[in-house]
Each structure stands twice: as structure tokens, then as C-alpha cells.
Amino acid sequence: MRTATITRKTAETEISVTVNLDGTGAYDNQTGVGFFDHMLDQLARHSLIDFTIRAKGDYHIDDHHTVEDTGIALGQALAQALGDKKGIRRYGECHLPMDDAQVRCALDLSARPYLVWNVTFAAQKIGTFDTELVREFFQAFSTHGGITLHVDQLHGFNAHHVAEAAFKAVARALRLAVETDPRKADAIPSTKGAL
Ligand SMILES: [Mn+2]
């Protein structure tokens, strides 16, 4: 079973993340940050990776630590569940439209973390959520998941749509990358023999 559970406790946050890469996109995400839960639900639903996430953080400061540390734990859970990456497709990509917004994601489960982020938000807030935290989440997720992650905004002016298109684009690309390639199910997808 390609599953993993990560628990992480610091003076700032307490997080538990369980993922099942061979799931159905079922989710139960409760981070105490409403918009962020909505985005994590999209990430699960459109990657078909099951997520159970619980987070408690120092909200009296802001949502920064909670969002970032959830990204760290989710990245670690993904990497652990992938194991030696035998049989995966490794690469994924998606152009994801949502009303006015279109976001492109290209990713490589390379174990070489790198984030390219070309997304700008016209608003600083979506409800009470700081839009700059979207990048913070994907930075932490790519670093701790070992993902080369490129996210480029092609269109869009509504911040809710742009953020949601970004999460859905990453989700769809992730779905492709973690799936088994039936033509090469017994091999690690690298000429180095390791990823
Ligand atoms: Mn929405």
C-alpha cells in the first residue's frame, strides 16, 4: 500500500497528515484555516490521493506557520508513500482553467526540489486568508516532497479562482506523476536507476 502518516509538533503547530496515493480523492481536512481546507480538498479530489489532515496552529499570530507546516508534512507524507518510486510515471502536467483563471503546472517527482512560481494575486486577501501563503505552501510541499514544481499563471484576475486553479493544476499533474506506468511498472523511471 502506498500510504504514509506524518505527525509533526513544534512550538508553533501540531499537524498530522495521512495520504493514500492509490485512493479515490477522498478527503477530511481540518486545519482551522477555512480557505486552506477548501484548497486541500481540491488537491485531494483532483489528484485522487486520499488526504486526512488535522492541524492546529498559532492563529493568534496569523495562518503562516499552519499553512507552511502543513505543506512540510504533506510533502514528507508524499515522499514516504512514494517509497523507491518504482513504476511511477514521474512526470505530470496540466493546463487548468477556472472561469477567468488558467494555471499551468509541470512537475517532476525528481527528489530535486525546485519551485518556479509565476503567480500574482490581484488581492492580498481571500476572505481572511493571505494570498501570499499559497506560494509558502507550495514552497514547503516541493521542498519536502522532493518535487521539481513549476506553476505558471497564464490568465486570471480573481484571486479565489487563481488560487483554486493553481491547486487543481498541481493536483491533476500529481495524479499523472504518481500513477503507475503499465508499460514499465517494475522499474524506477530514471537512467540512474534511482530517484
Ligand atoms: Mn472555490
Side-chain angles (χ1 to χ4, degrees), residues 35 38-39 42 98 160-161 164 168:
F35 182 75
H38 179 42
M39 293 300 100
Q42 304 302 330
M98 181 173 180
H160 188 127
H161 294 161
E164 189 160 341
K168 286 175 169 173

Side-chain angles (χ1 to χ4, degrees), residues 110-174:
S110 58
R112 291 198 305 279
Y114 200 102
L115 177 68
V116 173
W117 181 258
N118 290 310
V119 178
T120 50
F121 292 104
Q124 285 189 328
K125 294 270 191 184
I126 301 168
T128 60
F129 184 82
D130 294 314
T131 49
E132 67 179 11
L133 296 182
V134 177
R135 184 195 174 124
E136 294 303 309
F137 170 79
F138 283 115
Q139 180 71 68
F141 181 60
S142 65
T143 298
H144 293 270
I147 307 165
T148 306
L149 179 62
H150 292 206
V151 183
D152 294 278
Q153 175 188 0
L154 304 184
H155 306 293
F157 49 84
N158 179 282
H160 188 127
H161 294 161
V162 171
E164 189 160 341
F167 274 88
K168 286 175 169 173
V170 173
R172 283 295 291 203
L174 207 50

Side-chain angles (χ1 to χ4, degrees), residues 48-129:
L48 302 186
I49 298 172
D50 295 345
F51 285 9
T52 303
I53 299 177
R54 292 289 181 278
K56 278 187 200 148
D58 48 3
Y59 312 114
H60 61 287
I61 297 173
D62 64 7
D63 298 335
H64 191 116
H65 299 140
T66 304
V67 171
E68 182 177 22
D69 292 359
T70 300
I72 291 171
L74 191 61
Q76 289 172 338
L78 177 75
Q80 187 174 310
L82 280 168
D84 67 4
K85 301 179 182 166
K86 188 180 283 181
I88 65 167
R89 293 189 192 277
R90 177 179 166 181
Y91 298 100
E93 74 289 312
C94 178
H95 282 76
L96 196 297
M98 181 173 180
D99 299 348
D100 54 293
Q102 187 183 155
V103 175
R104 178 181 66 209
C105 173
L107 64 80
D108 177 10
L109 300 174
S110 58
R112 291 198 305 279
Y114 200 102
L115 177 68
V116 173
W117 181 258
N118 290 310
V119 178
T120 50
F121 292 104
Q124 285 189 328
K125 294 270 191 184
I126 301 168
T128 60
F129 184 82

